[in-house]
Amino acid sequence: MADGLPTKVTGMDSTLWTIDWGGMFISTHSVLEMILRATIMYFVIVALLKTVVKRQTGGVGPTDILVIVLIAELAGPGFTADYVSVVEGAVLVATVLFWSFAIEWLTHRSPRFARYFQPAPLLLIKNGRALPRNMRTELITMAELMSHLREEGVSSIAEVEQACMEPDGMISVIKMGGSSARSD
């Protein structure tokens, strides 16, 4: 590879054993452009996920995983602009990981920043009465709410002082009299 040409193994199929060392390690695109592309795409995806994907009870389901995989596949060209080298791929991955870490760090350090990225708990039941408007906001049916309450040993909404949808999608329950539990 002295002159930048691919290294070939003689006597074998050249396409199978050809290594383009220059193409593997030398970036063909501007590193600054790749960082900017990854930054823009990261924040577009975060904004879309914050807007479209709502908190759900019980965690991540198969549909959520499918949506995330599809978003990743569709966002690929916006990230890459046809990058071909390992360096370019590594820069894109490092940029996305950087922003992920930076947002987690800022969320931990700044209450103002945390309010956007970690919404406040939302009351679903207060003083033994369901709050239908809040349940609609979180797309929770009465049957789902009752299922969560039964998991906590509660048979009636009247037994609940307060139930909240937490930022992580779990429902926490405080029974009348002060005992509390958190439903998965």
Side-chain angles (χ1 to χ4, degrees), residues 87-152:
V87 172
E88 291 169 330
V91 166
L92 292 172
V93 169
T95 301
V96 169
L97 291 175
F98 165 78
W99 283 114
S100 180
F101 175 79
I103 287 174
E104 287 297 321
W105 186 83
L106 282 169
T107 300
H108 181 71
R109 299 271 188 218
S110 165
R112 180 183 291 173
F113 202 79
R115 278 192 295 271
Y116 177 73
F117 283 96
Q118 291 179 342
L122 182 67
L123 274 175
L124 301 175
I125 299 174
K126 183 173 183 176
N127 298 324
R129 299 192 65 172
L131 303 174
R133 178 180 288 161
N134 291 356
M135 290 172 60
R136 277 192 303 273
T137 299
E138 293 300 326
L139 303 174
I140 296 175
T141 66
M142 185 59 75
E144 289 174 313
L145 182 57
M146 288 307 300
S147 172
H148 285 283
L149 294 178
R150 284 190 299 276
E151 289 174 1
E152 301 303 326

Side-chain angles (χ1 to χ4, degrees), residues 150-173:
R150 284 190 299 276
E151 289 174 1
E152 301 303 326
V154 175
S155 60
S156 169
I157 290 177
E159 298 175 42
V160 179
E161 181 178 324
Q162 183 174 309
C164 293
M165 173 68 81
E166 300 295 339
D168 61 1
M170 302 296 134
I171 296 176
S172 60
V173 178

